[in-house]
Amino acid sequence: MVKINVGRVIFGGIIAGIVCFLGDGVVHGVLLKERWAEVMTALGRSGGGDVGSRHPLYFITYDLLKGLIAVWIYAAIRPHFGAGPATALVAAIVVWMLVIPIPTVGLLPMEFFGARFAILWSLYGFVPILIGTLIGGWIYRDASA
């Protein structure tokens, strides 16, 4: 049985998390900025769509956790699926499903935002998770026996 290389999971996960953080900055601060402003205004909140710039420590922690979980999943499934980008894609899809579309769809009945916004968020949000997981997976190596 192959042991997971915890050090490489942490290193790859941190890199993946940084990629997710930077990518989410583009997703939410550029691509969805106007829509976030509309959502926040509709909720009666001030500050428009600038939540990320007011709470960077929260979001870097959140994205680091996403990156760590993505690389850990990659390391865990690698013995079954093999090393490489196809396995990183599977890990990225699992993390993406758990952190964006499933929770976002769960919020739709509360009418914080519409389905179109949820779809755009999900589609745009997949890209940083995929890129981060691919890089983190590339960094990862199994522990020596």
Side-chain angles (χ1 to χ4, degrees):
M1 176 166 216
V2 178
K3 290 184 70 170
I4 290 178
N5 186 338
V6 175
R8 284 290 188 146
V9 167
I10 292 170
F11 179 58
I14 289 170
I15 300 302
I18 292 168
V19 170
C20 286
F21 179 74
L22 296 173
D24 283 352
V26 172
V27 168
H28 298 287
V30 177
L31 299 173
L32 295 175
K33 184 177 179 116
E34 289 180 26
R35 293 182 187 273
W36 270 120
E38 293 168 6
V39 167
M40 298 300 277
T41 300
L43 292 172
R45 303 286 311 269
S46 64
D50 293 329
V51 175
S53 64
R54 289 184 286 157
H55 303 286
L57 185 58
Y58 174 87
F59 290 106
I60 189 68
T61 302
Y62 174 74
D63 285 319
L64 283 172
L65 287 172
K66 279 195 305 195
L68 287 166
I69 290 168
V71 176
W72 178 76
I73 289 172
Y74 172 79
I77 67 174
R78 191 174 134 136
H80 301 287
F81 292 94
T87 302
L89 174 63
V90 171
I93 289 170
V94 169
V95 171
W96 171 74
M97 291 289 294
L98 293 173
V99 301
I100 301 178
I102 291 173
T104 304
V105 168
L107 293 173
L108 284 177
M110 292 164 213
E111 300 179 359
F112 295 130
F113 44 75
R116 180 172 166 72
F117 179 78
I119 290 167
L120 288 173
W121 180 359
S122 294
L123 293 175
Y124 294 156
F126 179 67
V127 175
I129 293 171
L130 175 61
I131 294 170
T133 307
L134 286 168
I135 294 170
W138 179 75
I139 291 170
Y140 180 79
R141 300 289 179 267
D142 286 326
S144 302

